Each structure stands twice: as C-alpha cells, then as structure tokens.
Coordinates of all heavy atoms in Angstrom, one line a residue:
A264 N 73.3 127.9 88.7 CA 73.7 128.1 90.1 C 75.1 127.5 90.3 O 75.6 126.7 89.5 CB 72.7 127.4 91.0
H265 N 75.7 127.9 91.4 CA 77.0 127.3 91.8 C 76.7 126.2 92.8 O 75.7 126.1 93.4 CB 77.9 128.4 92.4 CG 78.5 129.3 91.3 ND1 77.8 130.0 90.4 CD2 79.8 129.5 91.0 CE1 78.6 130.6 89.6 NE2 79.9 130.4 90.0
V266 N 77.7 125.3 92.8 CA 77.5 124.0 93.6 C 78.7 123.8 94.5 O 79.9 124.0 94.0 CB 77.4 122.9 92.6 CG1 77.3 121.5 93.3 CG2 76.2 123.1 91.7
I267 N 78.5 123.4 95.7 CA 79.6 123.0 96.6 C 79.8 121.5 96.6 O 78.8 120.7 96.8 CB 79.4 123.5 98.0 CG1 79.2 125.0 98.0 CG2 80.5 123.1 98.9 CD1 79.0 125.7 99.3
T268 N 81.0 121.0 96.4 CA 81.3 119.6 96.2 C 82.0 119.0 97.4 O 82.3 119.7 98.4 CB 82.0 119.4 94.8 OG1 83.3 120.1 94.9 CG2 81.3 119.9 93.7
S269 N 82.5 117.7 97.2 CA 83.0 116.9 98.3 C 84.2 117.5 99.1 O 84.3 117.2 100.3 CB 83.3 115.5 97.9 OG 84.4 115.5 96.9
P270 N 85.1 118.2 98.5 CA 86.2 118.7 99.4 C 85.7 119.5 100.6 O 86.4 119.7 101.6 CB 87.0 119.6 98.4 CG 86.7 119.0 97.0 CD 85.3 118.6 97.1
C271 N 84.5 120.1 100.5 CA 84.0 120.9 101.6 C 83.8 120.1 102.9 O 83.9 120.6 104.0 CB 82.7 121.5 101.2 SG 81.9 122.6 102.5
M272 N 83.6 118.8 102.7 CA 83.3 118.0 103.9 C 84.5 117.9 104.8 O 84.4 117.7 106.0 CB 82.9 116.6 103.4 CG 81.5 116.6 102.8 SD 80.8 114.9 102.6 CE 81.6 114.5 101.1
E273 N 85.7 118.1 104.3 CA 86.9 118.0 105.1 C 87.3 119.4 105.7 O 88.2 119.5 106.5 CB 88.1 117.5 104.3 CG 87.9 116.1 103.7 CD 87.9 115.1 104.8 OE1 88.7 115.2 105.8 OE2 87.1 114.1 104.7
E274 N 86.6 120.4 105.1 CA 87.1 121.8 105.4 C 86.1 122.7 106.1 O 86.4 123.2 107.2 CB 87.5 122.4 104.0 CG 88.2 123.8 104.1 CD 89.6 123.7 104.7 OE1 90.2 122.6 104.7 OE2 90.0 124.7 105.2
K275 N 84.9 122.8 105.5 CA 83.9 123.6 106.1 C 84.4 125.0 106.5 O 84.2 125.4 107.7 CB 83.1 122.9 107.2 CG 82.3 121.7 106.7 CD 81.5 121.1 107.8 CE 80.2 121.9 108.0 NZ 79.3 121.3 109.0
A276 N 85.1 125.7 105.6 CA 85.7 126.9 106.0 C 84.8 128.1 106.3 O 85.2 129.0 107.1 CB 86.7 127.4 104.8
S277 N 83.6 128.1 105.7 CA 82.6 129.1 106.0 C 82.8 130.5 105.3 O 82.0 131.4 105.4 CB 82.3 129.3 107.4 OG 83.2 130.2 108.1
I278 N 84.0 130.7 104.8 CA 84.3 132.0 104.2 C 83.3 132.3 103.0 O 82.9 133.5 102.8 CB 85.8 132.1 103.6 CG1 86.7 131.6 104.7 CG2 86.1 133.5 103.2 CD1 88.1 131.1 104.2
C279 N 83.0 131.3 102.3 CA 82.1 131.4 101.2 C 80.8 132.1 101.6 O 80.2 133.0 100.9 CB 81.8 130.1 100.5 SG 81.1 128.8 101.6
S280 N 80.2 131.6 102.7 CA 78.9 132.1 103.1 C 79.0 133.5 103.6 O 78.0 134.3 103.5 CB 78.3 131.2 104.3 OG 79.1 131.3 105.4
E281 N 80.2 134.0 104.0 CA 80.4 135.3 104.4 C 80.4 136.3 103.3 O 80.0 137.5 103.4 CB 81.7 135.5 105.3 CG 81.5 134.8 106.6 CD 82.9 134.6 107.3 OE1 83.8 135.3 107.0 OE2 82.9 133.6 108.1
V282 N 80.9 135.8 102.1 CA 81.0 136.7 100.9 C 79.8 136.7 100.0 O 79.7 137.6 99.2 CB 82.3 136.5 100.1 CG1 83.6 136.6 101.0 CG2 82.3 135.1 99.5
C283 N 79.0 135.7 100.2 CA 77.8 135.6 99.2 C 76.9 136.8 99.4 O 76.4 137.1 100.5 CB 77.0 134.3 99.5 SG 75.6 134.2 98.4
P284 N 76.7 137.6 98.3 CA 75.9 138.8 98.5 C 74.4 138.6 98.7 O 73.6 139.5 99.1 CB 76.1 139.6 97.1 CG 76.4 138.5 96.2 CD 77.2 137.4 97.0
V285 N 73.9 137.4 98.4 CA 72.5 137.1 98.5 C 72.2 136.0 99.6 O 71.1 135.5 99.6 CB 71.9 136.6 97.1 CG1 71.9 137.8 96.2 CG2 72.6 135.4 96.5
D286 N 73.2 135.7 100.4 CA 73.0 134.7 101.5 C 72.5 133.4 101.0 O 71.6 132.8 101.7 CB 72.1 135.3 102.5 CG 72.3 134.8 103.9 OD1 73.4 134.2 104.2 OD2 71.4 134.8 104.8
A287 N 73.1 132.9 99.9 CA 72.6 131.6 99.3 C 73.3 130.4 99.9 O 72.9 129.3 99.7 CB 72.8 131.6 97.8
I288 N 74.3 130.7 100.7 CA 75.1 129.5 101.2 C 74.8 129.3 102.7 O 75.0 130.2 103.6 CB 76.6 129.8 101.1 CG1 76.9 130.2 99.6 CG2 77.5 128.6 101.5 CD1 78.4 130.5 99.3
Q289 N 74.4 128.0 103.0 CA 74.0 127.7 104.4 C 74.9 126.5 104.8 O 75.2 125.6 104.0 CB 72.6 127.3 104.4 CG 71.6 128.4 104.0 CD 71.7 129.7 105.0 OE1 71.9 129.5 106.2 NE2 71.5 130.8 104.4
E290 N 75.1 126.4 106.1 CA 75.9 125.3 106.7 C 75.0 124.1 107.0 O 73.9 124.3 107.6 CB 76.6 125.7 108.0 CG 77.5 124.6 108.5 CD 78.3 125.1 109.7 OE1 78.2 126.2 110.1 OE2 79.2 124.3 110.1
G291 N 75.4 122.9 106.5 CA 74.6 121.7 106.8 C 75.4 120.9 107.8 O 76.5 121.3 108.3
D292 N 75.0 119.7 108.0 CA 75.6 118.8 109.0 C 77.0 118.3 108.4 O 78.0 118.3 109.1 CB 74.8 117.6 109.3 CG 74.1 116.9 108.1 OD1 74.2 117.5 107.0 OD2 73.6 115.8 108.2
K293 N 77.1 118.0 107.1 CA 78.3 117.5 106.5 C 79.2 118.6 105.8 O 80.4 118.5 105.8 CB 78.0 116.4 105.5 CG 77.3 115.2 106.1 CD 77.3 114.1 105.1 CE 76.7 112.8 105.6 NZ 75.5 112.3 104.9
Q294 N 78.5 119.6 105.3 CA 79.2 120.5 104.5 C 78.4 121.8 104.3 O 77.3 121.8 104.8 CB 79.5 120.0 103.1 CG 78.2 119.6 102.3 CD 78.5 119.4 100.8 OE1 78.7 118.2 100.4 NE2 78.5 120.4 100.0
F295 N 78.9 122.8 103.6 CA 78.1 123.9 103.2 C 77.3 123.6 101.9 O 77.8 122.8 101.1 CB 78.9 125.2 103.1 CG 79.3 125.8 104.4 CD1 80.3 125.3 105.1 CD2 78.6 126.9 104.9 CE1 80.7 125.8 106.4 CE2 78.9 127.5 106.1 CZ 80.0 126.9 106.8
Y296 N 76.2 124.3 101.7 CA 75.4 124.1 100.5 C 75.0 125.4 99.9 O 74.8 126.4 100.7 CB 74.1 123.2 100.8 CG 74.4 121.9 101.4 CD1 74.4 121.6 102.7 CD2 74.6 120.8 100.5 CE1 74.6 120.4 103.2 CE2 74.9 119.5 101.0 CZ 74.9 119.3 102.4 OH 75.1 118.0 102.9
I297 N 74.8 125.4 98.6 CA 74.3 126.6 97.9 C 72.9 126.4 97.4 O 72.6 125.4 96.7 CB 75.2 127.0 96.7 CG1 76.6 127.4 97.2 CG2 74.6 128.1 95.9 CD1 77.6 127.6 96.1
D298 N 72.0 127.4 97.8 CA 70.6 127.3 97.3 C 70.5 127.7 95.8 O 70.8 128.8 95.5 CB 69.8 128.2 98.2 CG 68.3 128.1 97.8 OD1 67.9 127.5 96.8 OD2 67.5 128.7 98.6
P299 N 70.2 126.7 95.0 CA 70.2 127.0 93.5 C 69.1 128.0 93.1 O 69.2 128.7 92.1 CB 69.9 125.7 92.9 CG 69.3 124.9 93.9 CD 69.8 125.3 95.2
N300 N 68.1 128.2 94.0 CA 67.1 129.2 93.6 C 67.4 130.6 94.1 O 66.7 131.5 93.8 CB 65.8 128.8 94.3 CG 65.2 127.5 93.7 OD1 65.3 127.3 92.4 ND2 64.8 126.5 94.5
T301 N 68.5 130.7 94.9 CA 68.9 132.0 95.4 C 70.2 132.5 94.7 O 70.4 133.7 94.5 CB 69.1 132.0 96.9 OG1 67.9 131.5 97.5 CG2 69.4 133.3 97.5
C302 N 71.1 131.6 94.4 CA 72.4 132.0 93.8 C 72.2 132.8 92.5 O 71.4 132.4 91.7 CB 73.2 130.7 93.5 SG 74.7 130.9 92.6
I303 N 72.9 133.9 92.4 CA 72.9 134.7 91.2 C 74.1 134.6 90.4 O 74.4 135.4 89.5 CB 72.7 136.2 91.6 CG1 73.8 136.7 92.6 CG2 71.3 136.4 92.2 CD1 73.8 138.2 92.8
D304 N 74.9 133.6 90.6 CA 76.1 133.2 89.8 C 77.1 134.4 89.7 O 77.7 134.6 88.7 CB 75.6 132.8 88.4 CG 75.0 131.4 88.4 OD1 75.3 130.6 89.3 OD2 74.1 131.2 87.6
C305 N 77.3 135.0 90.8 CA 78.3 136.1 90.8 C 79.7 135.6 90.8 O 80.7 136.2 90.4 CB 78.1 137.0 92.0 SG 78.6 136.3 93.6
G306 N 79.9 134.3 91.4 CA 81.3 133.7 91.4 C 82.1 134.1 92.5 O 83.3 133.6 92.7
A307 N 81.7 135.0 93.4 CA 82.5 135.5 94.5 C 83.0 134.4 95.5 O 84.1 134.4 96.0 CB 81.7 136.5 95.3
C308 N 82.2 133.4 95.7 CA 82.5 132.3 96.6 C 83.6 131.4 96.1 O 84.4 130.9 96.9 CB 81.3 131.4 96.9 SG 80.4 130.8 95.4
I309 N 83.7 131.2 94.8 CA 84.7 130.3 94.2 C 86.1 130.7 94.6 O 86.9 129.8 95.1 CB 84.6 130.3 92.6 CG1 83.3 129.7 92.1 CG2 85.8 129.6 92.0 CD1 83.2 129.7 90.6
I310 N 86.5 131.9 94.5 CA 87.8 132.3 94.8 C 88.2 132.3 96.3 O 89.3 132.3 96.7 CB 88.2 133.7 94.2 CG1 87.1 134.7 94.5 CG2 88.3 133.6 92.6 CD1 87.4 136.1 94.0
Q311 N 87.1 132.3 97.1 CA 87.4 132.3 98.6 C 87.6 130.9 99.1 O 88.2 130.7 100.2 CB 86.2 132.9 99.3 CG 85.9 134.4 99.0 CD 87.0 135.3 99.4 OE1 87.7 135.0 100.3 NE2 87.2 136.4 98.7
C312 N 87.1 129.9 98.4 CA 87.2 128.5 98.9 C 88.6 128.0 99.0 O 89.3 127.9 97.9 CB 86.3 127.6 98.1 SG 86.3 125.9 98.8
P313 N 89.1 127.7 100.2 CA 90.5 127.2 100.3 C 90.8 125.8 99.7 O 91.9 125.4 99.5 CB 90.8 127.2 101.8 CG 89.4 127.1 102.4 CD 88.5 127.7 101.5
V314 N 89.7 125.1 99.4 CA 89.9 123.7 98.9 C 89.3 123.6 97.5 O 89.1 122.4 97.0 CB 89.3 122.6 99.9 CG1 90.1 122.5 101.1 CG2 87.8 122.9 100.2
S315 N 88.9 124.7 96.9 CA 88.4 124.7 95.5 C 87.2 123.7 95.4 O 87.1 122.9 94.4 CB 89.5 124.3 94.5 OG 90.5 125.3 94.6
A316 N 86.3 123.8 96.3 CA 85.1 122.9 96.3 C 83.9 123.4 95.5 O 83.0 122.7 95.3 CB 84.7 122.6 97.7
I317 N 84.0 124.7 95.1 CA 82.8 125.3 94.4 C 83.0 125.5 92.9 O 84.1 126.0 92.4 CB 82.5 126.7 95.1 CG1 82.5 126.6 96.6 CG2 81.2 127.3 94.5 CD1 82.3 127.9 97.3
F318 N 82.0 125.1 92.2 CA 82.0 125.2 90.7 C 80.7 125.7 90.2 O 79.6 125.5 90.9 CB 82.1 123.8 90.1 CG 83.4 123.1 90.5 CD1 83.5 122.3 91.6 CD2 84.6 123.2 89.7 CE1 84.7 121.7 92.0 CE2 85.7 122.6 90.0 CZ 85.8 121.8 91.2
Y319 N 80.7 126.4 89.1 CA 79.5 126.7 88.3 C 78.9 125.3 87.9 O 79.6 124.4 87.6 CB 79.8 127.5 87.1 CG 78.6 127.9 86.2 CD1 77.5 128.5 86.8 CD2 78.6 127.6 84.9 CE1 76.4 128.7 86.0 CE2 77.5 127.9 84.1 CZ 76.4 128.4 84.7 OH 75.3 128.7 83.9
E320 N 77.6 125.2 87.9 CA 76.9 123.9 87.8 C 77.4 123.2 86.5 O 77.5 122.0 86.5 CB 75.4 124.0 87.8 CG 74.8 124.9 86.8 CD 73.3 125.1 87.0 OE1 72.7 124.2 87.6 OE2 72.8 126.2 86.6
E321 N 77.6 123.9 85.4 CA 78.0 123.3 84.2 C 79.5 122.9 84.1 O 79.9 122.3 83.1 CB 77.6 124.2 83.0 CG 76.1 124.2 82.8 CD 75.6 125.2 81.7 OE1 76.5 125.7 81.0 OE2 74.4 125.4 81.7
E322 N 80.2 123.3 85.2 CA 81.6 123.0 85.2 C 82.0 122.0 86.3 O 83.2 121.8 86.6 CB 82.4 124.3 85.3 CG 82.3 125.1 84.0 CD 82.8 126.6 84.2 OE1 83.2 126.9 85.3 OE2 82.7 127.3 83.2
V323 N 81.0 121.5 87.0 CA 81.2 120.5 88.1 C 82.0 119.3 87.5 O 81.5 118.7 86.5 CB 79.9 120.1 88.7 CG1 80.2 119.0 89.8 CG2 79.2 121.3 89.4
P324 N 83.1 118.8 88.1 CA 83.8 117.6 87.6 C 82.8 116.4 87.6 O 81.9 116.3 88.4 CB 84.9 117.4 88.6 CG 85.1 118.7 89.3 CD 83.7 119.4 89.2
E325 N 83.1 115.5 86.6 CA 82.2 114.4 86.4 C 81.9 113.6 87.7 O 80.8 113.2 88.0 CB 82.7 113.5 85.3 CG 81.7 112.7 84.6 CD 82.2 112.1 83.3 OE1 82.9 112.8 82.5 OE2 81.8 111.0 83.0
D326 N 83.0 113.3 88.5 CA 82.8 112.5 89.7 C 82.2 113.3 90.8 O 82.0 112.7 91.9 CB 84.2 111.9 90.1 CG 85.3 113.0 90.3 OD1 85.0 114.2 89.9 OD2 86.3 112.7 90.9
E327 N 81.8 114.5 90.6 CA 81.2 115.3 91.6 C 79.8 115.7 91.2 O 79.1 116.5 91.9 CB 82.0 116.6 91.9 CG 83.4 116.3 92.4 CD 83.5 116.0 93.9 OE1 82.5 116.2 94.6 OE2 84.6 115.6 94.3
I328 N 79.3 115.2 90.1 CA 78.0 115.6 89.5 C 76.8 115.5 90.5 O 75.9 116.2 90.5 CB 77.7 114.8 88.2 CG1 78.6 115.3 87.1 CG2 76.2 114.9 87.8 CD1 78.3 116.6 86.5
G329 N 76.9 114.4 91.4 CA 75.9 114.1 92.3 C 75.6 115.3 93.3 O 74.6 115.4 93.9
Y330 N 76.6 116.1 93.4 CA 76.5 117.3 94.4 C 75.6 118.3 93.9 O 75.1 119.1 94.7 CB 77.9 117.8 94.8 CG 78.6 116.9 95.7 CD1 79.3 115.8 95.3 CD2 78.5 117.1 97.1 CE1 79.8 114.9 96.2 CE2 79.1 116.3 98.0 CZ 79.7 115.2 97.6 OH 80.3 114.3 98.5
I331 N 75.3 118.4 92.6 CA 74.3 119.3 92.1 C 73.0 119.0 92.8 O 72.3 119.9 93.3 CB 74.2 119.3 90.6 CG1 75.5 119.7 89.9 CG2 73.0 120.1 90.1 CD1 75.5 119.5 88.4
Q332 N 72.6 117.8 92.8 CA 71.4 117.3 93.5 C 71.5 117.5 95.0 O 70.5 117.9 95.6 CB 71.1 115.9 93.1 CG 69.8 115.3 93.6 CD 68.6 116.0 92.8 OE1 68.8 116.5 91.7 NE2 67.4 115.9 93.4
K333 N 72.6 117.2 95.6 CA 72.8 117.3 97.0 C 72.6 118.7 97.5 O 72.0 119.0 98.6 CB 74.1 116.8 97.5 CG 74.2 115.3 97.5 CD 75.6 114.8 98.0 CE 75.6 113.2 97.8 NZ 76.9 112.7 98.2
N334 N 73.1 119.7 96.8 CA 72.9 121.1 97.2 C 71.4 121.5 97.1 O 70.9 122.0 98.0 CB 73.7 122.0 96.3 CG 75.2 122.1 96.7 OD1 75.7 123.1 97.1 ND2 75.9 121.0 96.5
A335 N 70.8 121.1 96.0 CA 69.3 121.4 95.8 C 68.5 120.7 96.9 O 67.6 121.3 97.5 CB 68.9 121.0 94.4
E336 N 68.8 119.5 97.2 CA 68.0 118.7 98.2 C 68.1 119.3 99.6 O 67.1 119.3 100.3 CB 68.5 117.2 98.2 CG 67.9 116.4 97.1 CD 68.4 115.0 97.1 OE1 69.3 114.7 97.9 OE2 68.0 114.2 96.2
F337 N 69.2 119.8 99.9 CA 69.4 120.4 101.2 C 68.3 121.5 101.5 O 67.7 121.6 102.5 CB 70.8 121.0 101.4 CG 71.0 121.6 102.8 CD1 71.2 120.8 103.9 CD2 71.0 123.0 102.9 CE1 71.3 121.4 105.2 CE2 71.2 123.6 104.2 CZ 71.3 122.8 105.3
F338 N 68.1 122.3 100.4 CA 67.1 123.4 100.6 C 65.7 123.0 100.4 O 64.8 123.7 100.8 CB 67.5 124.5 99.6 CG 68.8 125.2 100.0 CD1 70.0 124.8 99.5 CD2 68.8 126.1 101.0 CE1 71.2 125.3 99.9 CE2 70.0 126.7 101.4 CZ 71.2 126.3 100.9
S339 N 65.5 121.8 99.8 CA 64.1 121.3 99.7 C 63.6 120.7 101.0 O 62.4 120.5 101.2 CB 64.0 120.3 98.5 OG 64.7 119.2 98.8
R340 N 64.6 120.4 101.9 CA 64.3 119.8 103.1 C 64.0 120.8 104.2 O 63.2 120.5 105.1 CB 65.4 118.9 103.6 CG 65.4 117.5 103.1 CD 66.4 116.6 103.8 NE 67.7 116.5 103.0 CZ 68.8 116.9 103.5 NH1 69.0 117.3 104.7 NH2 69.9 116.8 102.8
V341 N 64.6 122.0 104.1 CA 64.4 123.0 105.2 C 63.2 123.9 104.9 O 62.7 124.0 103.9 CB 65.7 123.8 105.4 CG1 66.8 122.9 106.0 CG2 66.2 124.5 104.1
Ligands
LIG617 FE1 76.5 133.4 96.4 FE2 77.7 134.3 94.2 FE3 78.5 132.0 95.2 FE4 76.1 132.2 94.1 S1 78.1 132.4 93.0 S2 76.6 131.2 96.0 S3 75.5 134.3 94.6 S4 78.7 134.0 96.2

C-alpha cells in the first residue's frame, strides 16, 4: 500500500483523495490517511501531493516509518 507521512500535517491539500480511483484516502483530524486494505498501488496520488508526503510502503523514509502504522490504525478505528 501507499502511505501518507508527516508533511501532510502542514498541508492537507486533499488533491490526493480526489484522484484516488478506489477512494482509499480519507481525511483525519491531523492529516489524510490511506487505507492499506483498499489501496491498489496505482501511484496516482504521489505525483499530486504538493509536499511529497506520499510513498510506497517499502520506500517510506526511515524517520517516517511510524506512519505506516498510523495510516493503518486510522482505518482500524473507524
Ligand atoms: Fe489511491 Fe492509487 Fe494512491 Fe493507492 S496509490 S491511495 S489506490 S491513488
């Protein structure tokens, strides 16, 4: 799955959620999140993000690794 990381907290641009073909991206209180069980890894959201906050899960920078869990947890709560 793809993962939204910390730069989103300052931006929350929402363009990503508009381009996602499977509606995997939802807005939370702090940032947008990607549902790992819905994302089909098309990559469309990555190029739309103005702050480069979105990564394929295996390419998430080391200091942002915790966001893999944060994205998943958001959808386990709702
Ligand atoms: Fe949606 Fe594609 Fe981004 Fe996954 S990679 S969240 S399917 S736009």
Side-chain angles (χ1 to χ4, degrees):
H265 282 58
V266 176
I267 302 181
T268 62
S269 66
C271 182
M272 289 192 279
E273 301 291 322
E274 187 70 22
K275 293 188 81 179
S277 86
I278 310 158
C279 57
S280 65
E281 289 162 26
V282 300
C283 179
V285 292
D286 205 21
I288 306 179
Q289 301 294 327
E290 184 173 6
D292 47 350
K293 295 190 178 125
Q294 63 167 94
F295 281 79
Y296 298 97
I297 295 175
D298 184 349
N300 295 315
T301 304
C302 175
I303 55 171
D304 289 328
C305 74
C308 54
I309 292 181
I310 51 176
Q311 298 295 334
C312 180
V314 291
S315 301
I317 308 178
F318 298 90
Y319 177 55
E320 60 187 335
E321 289 175 10
E322 292 165 0
V323 174
E325 206 166 320
D326 57 346
E327 299 279 347
I328 287 288
Y330 282 82
I331 297 174
Q332 188 68 18
K333 283 181 186 176
N334 280 247
E336 277 175 0
F337 179 76
F338 292 94
S339 64
R340 273 189 265 123
V341 292

